Amino acid sequence: RGGYRARSHSGLACLLVTFCFVNLFEHLFDTCCCLAPDFFWDLEDLETWYSKARKMLDIDQRVEVLNKRLDVLTELLEILRTEKSETHSARLEWIVIWLIVVEILLGVWDIGFGIYTHREQDIV
């Protein structure tokens, strides 16, 4: 049971690291603004090569696809974590219900035993 929780948390952590890594490179490639990184601003020839290479490699689309896949995986892990939490909550609720049943049975037994001992004292 503890292994599942550890794997779930490590999977979520790995997913978040990957998400940050992809978005870090998105910022490095400046895909959201469609501008070349600062390094290429000084050398105009390299900026045109950078733009051509970026278009040829479909960097914008690849980053967008990776982000969508990571969003889906994040939602999946969240669903799994919620399901595990609900299962744990249901188990705790059943434990409380059984404890109440035991308490009621002990109370009934105590009342019954009290009546029985009270009758014996009346007889004596």
Side-chain angles (χ1 to χ4, degrees):
R1 294 180 187 200
Y4 172 80
R5 183 177 295 159
R7 282 182 282 150
S8 174
H9 290 306
S10 69
L12 186 60
C14 181
L15 187 63
L16 290 175
V17 166
T18 304
F19 185 74
C20 291
F21 186 70
V22 167
N23 287 314
L24 176 68
F25 277 109
E26 179 184 25
H27 179 68
L28 181 66
F29 293 140
D30 226 0
T31 58
C32 54
C33 301
C34 297
L35 298 173
D38 293 338
F39 173 75
F40 294 106
W41 283 56
D42 297 332
L43 306 169
E44 292 180 19
D45 294 339
L46 290 179
E47 185 178 356
T48 58
W49 281 98
Y50 170 78
S51 297
K52 288 179 184 179
R54 197 167 134 209
K55 284 181 184 177
M56 187 175 76
L57 295 174
D58 295 327
I59 298 290
D60 296 335
Q61 291 84 3
R62 291 174 189 241
V63 168
E64 185 178 329
V65 167
L66 282 174
N67 280 331
K68 286 181 181 178
R69 288 181 181 177
L70 289 171
D71 287 341
V72 168
L73 287 174
T74 302
E75 289 176 19
L76 178 64
L77 280 175
E78 188 62 36
I79 289 169
L80 290 173
R81 188 171 30 166
T82 302
E83 180 184 341
K84 181 67 176 173
S85 175
E86 288 175 1
T87 303
H88 183 69
S89 296
R91 183 172 175 249
L92 289 176
E93 287 174 12
W94 278 108
I95 289 172
V96 168
I97 289 169
W98 283 110
L99 287 173
I100 291 171
V101 168
V102 168
E103 184 177 355
I104 290 170
L105 291 175
L106 288 174
V108 168
W109 184 71
D110 189 35
I111 291 171
F113 187 70
I115 291 173
Y116 177 73
T117 55
H118 185 65
R119 281 186 186 172
E120 282 184 3
Q121 289 175 359
D122 287 344
I123 295 173
V124 175

